[in-house]
Amino acid sequence: MKEEGASMQPAIEISHLSKNYGSRQALRDVSLSVKPGELFGLIGPDGAGKTTLFRILATLLLPDAGTATVDGFDVVRQMTQIRSRLGYMPGKFSLYQDLSVQENLEFFATLFGTTIDEGYDLIKPIYSQIEPFRNRKAGALSGGMKQKLALSCALVHQPRVLFLDEPTTGVDPVSRRELWEMLINLKEKGITIVAATPYLNEVRMCERVAYLSSPDEEAKNQSSVKGIGTPDELITRFKGVFNPAPPSKAPTGPEEPSAPQNVIEVSHLVKAFGSFRAVDDISFTVRRGEIFGFLGANGAGKTTAMHMLTGLNQPTSGRGSVMGFDISREYEQIKKHIGYMSQKFSLYEDLTVAENIRLFGGIYGMDEQEIKAKTDSMLAYLGMEGQRDSIVRKLPLGWKQKLAFSVSIFHEPGIVFLDEPTGGVDPATRKQFWQLIYDAAARGITVFVTTHYMDEAEYCDRISIMVDGKISAMGSPEELKQQFALPDMEAVFTYLARQATRKSD
């Protein structure tokens, strides 16, 4: 315990902190403080340095200049003291996928010289929800359950300070809300929490927020911190970033008289794994040039359905066709006539931008001359001419996602499948991404998209919402809001998702 009066000192104190990676400046002259027991948000575009700041505060990186303290201890000289007082959920890795739920928790407890029993009172409200799956491998859990386990692992040693780097990316709206309710309960126990998030409703749940911009985009000698204040103050000040106008939808071109109206037709489709029906008797159609949103909570069955439509898996029963090809018998033909952007893999990170384009162009059967001509025009359209020879892993996430989408439609397919394409991307970049989607739809490419951002659901022509393997609702955003007498798509999604009876895990 700290001596009396120590609680008046900031829980986190950062003064003139800077960090470079070679010639690239990730953080420039960052100064801010966080009060004890405060729920503090870090917001800003991709490449603003939020993850770098977390890693410095978690003593995983050394700063190039400036100082920082966590719970009164210096991040350079007193690493050991900080690590015993700190809980950290990084954005990418925090669980061992091949270990069970209980084995993960035991491992993290052992790292901090404690036991699950000693820390159980703090994690009980969170861990009790996943404890029935204690023997299941972490890799087999849904997104929401993984995050609850990761949070339990970060808290098992009863830290005083908790760092969360975009903890709900890829998690459905209901699970996101549950996790943030847990964070508020932890704050009430006196734990200081610093969380980065791209979701506007999560920003509003913080007491104060700091907005960081990319130093590369700022004038020389300006701080990366552009503002600190309440959520309303920052959202108003940077409304162009957090409330960007919707993308502009161009009218679609005229239909060819001979072109079939529907590019997807599904009738009573079922996919069973043993006695479990992941997809349970769904039927729908998707029209040519339509932007079709395919929504559902983690574990609702939408990814399984998408795998059948893209030829990656075959149905147990029922019928379906994509671009006129039968999904049970002609799945290899389907793969040649569609585009696909996966949530987890879309580009080769060790290749350059141009090398990725050339590789995928060759896979799609395009000749060298056509690839070269289309590469020049595509990079000009994306404003990425200067990144032609850049290694993909060094690009900001938003640029990677825009490039991955453009590569997925490089061969002008009749339909492109997008599996949560904007996860973890800031609002302004997401708007740019959706402008690319609208432009593709205007050229007649059908877009089949899953997303956990409910503002993006508003951009779709029609939406289906899956619950427990079935389609519970379908229609335009306006039709669904009117049908359920609810104000927005987040409310519609939450209302339907909470009617689920089966466990997603």
Side-chain angles (χ1 to χ4, degrees), residues 183-421:
L183 296 184
I184 291 171
N185 290 334
L186 291 171
K187 171 199 146 34
E188 291 173 353
K189 295 179 184 291
I191 296 176
T192 303
I193 301 171
V194 181
T197 177
Y199 295 95
L200 194 59
N201 58 344
E202 294 180 2
V203 171
R204 294 186 185 278
M205 297 180 79
C206 300
E207 294 170 274
R208 289 189 305 141
V209 292
Y211 177 77
L212 274 65
S213 64
S214 170
D216 293 338
E217 298 173 1
E218 298 296 335
K220 192 174 181 180
N221 299 324
Q222 286 189 350
S223 171
S224 299
V225 179
K226 297 293 110 182
I228 301 173
T230 67
D232 286 342
E233 289 170 349
L234 269 291
I235 289 169
T236 300
R237 181 175 171 186
F238 299 103
K239 60 184 179 181
V241 174
F242 293 102
N243 291 292
S248 303
K249 190 169 186 180
T252 56
E255 285 283 344
E256 298 176 23
S258 60
Q261 184 68 19
N262 294 328
V263 293
I264 296 178
E265 294 183 348
V266 170
S267 178
H268 302 291
L269 202 62
V270 173
K271 181 62 180 180
F273 299 95
S275 61
F276 176 71
R277 287 191 168 199
V279 174
D280 190 5
D281 194 17
I282 63 173
S283 300
F284 65 93
T285 61
V286 179
R287 298 186 290 269
R288 180 176 298 275
E290 185 174 28
I291 300 174
F292 188 83
F294 200 59
L295 310 186
N298 295 114
K302 61 185 187 300
T303 298
T304 301
M306 183 180 280
H307 283 173
M308 288 187 283
L309 296 175
T310 55
L312 299 176
N313 213 330
Q314 283 69 61
T316 303
S317 63
R319 294 182 295 104
S321 66
V322 175
M323 298 297 296
F325 298 103
D326 186 279
I327 63 174
S328 296
R329 296 179 291 102
E330 300 174 298
Y331 40 86
E332 293 301 330
Q333 287 297 317
I334 289 173
K335 293 174 186 177
K336 296 176 183 178
H337 290 81
I338 65 171
Y340 181 55
M341 180 178 168
S342 167
Q343 178 186 5
K344 294 182 179 178
F345 170 79
S346 294
L347 298 169
Y348 289 91
E349 299 239 317
D350 290 334
L351 298 182
T352 67
V353 169
E355 286 168 344
N356 266 279
I357 297 171
R358 183 181 179 187
L359 172 64
F360 282 98
I363 290 172
Y364 294 138
M366 301 168 65
D367 63 50
E368 285 287 336
Q369 205 160 8
E370 183 183 11
I371 291 172
K372 185 178 183 303
K374 290 200 70 173
T375 296
D376 293 341
S377 60
M378 187 181 89
L379 292 178
Y381 172 63
L382 294 175
M384 292 180 64
E385 299 102 315
Q387 284 70 43
R388 174 188 291 268
D389 298 317
S390 297
I391 298 296
V392 164
R393 72 169 177 272
K394 295 182 179 180
L395 297 177
L397 176 61
W399 288 28
K400 287 183 187 178
Q401 299 301 75
K402 289 186 285 187
L403 176 63
F405 173 71
S406 299
V407 167
S408 73
I409 60 171
F410 194 60
H411 57 308
E412 294 291 323
I415 183 170
V416 61
F417 291 87
L418 308 176
D419 190 2
E420 295 181 30

Side-chain angles (χ1 to χ4, degrees), residues 46-122:
D46 302 314
K50 302 183 291 293
T51 296
T52 296
L53 182 57
F54 275 127
R55 289 175 178 171
I56 291 173
L57 295 176
T59 73
L60 301 176
L61 281 178
L62 293 174
D64 292 329
T67 61
T69 61
V70 176
D71 203 30
F73 297 97
D74 186 88
V75 297
V76 175
R77 295 181 292 103
Q78 296 169 302
M79 294 182 181
T80 302
Q81 293 93 326
I82 289 176
R83 289 174 183 176
S84 66
R85 291 162 168 79
L86 178 70
Y88 178 39
M89 275 181 65
K92 290 187 177 179
F93 170 79
S94 59
L95 296 173
Y96 290 91
Q97 304 292 316
D98 290 333
L99 295 184
S100 69
V101 167
Q102 184 163 332
E103 287 169 340
N104 267 279
L105 194 57
E106 287 174 346
F107 174 77
F108 281 92
T110 302
L111 282 180
F112 291 101
T114 186
T115 65
I116 296 175
D117 288 342
E118 286 183 57
Y120 193 76
D121 285 345
L122 181 61

Side-chain angles (χ1 to χ4, degrees), residues 7 44 126 131 135-136 148 150 244 292-293 359 364 378 423 429 434 468 474:
S7 62
I126 307 163
E131 202 166 8
N135 295 320
R136 184 160 301 177
K148 290 170 186 174
F292 188 83
L359 172 64
Y364 294 138
M378 187 181 89
T429 305
W434 273 82
D468 289 348
M474 185 179 300

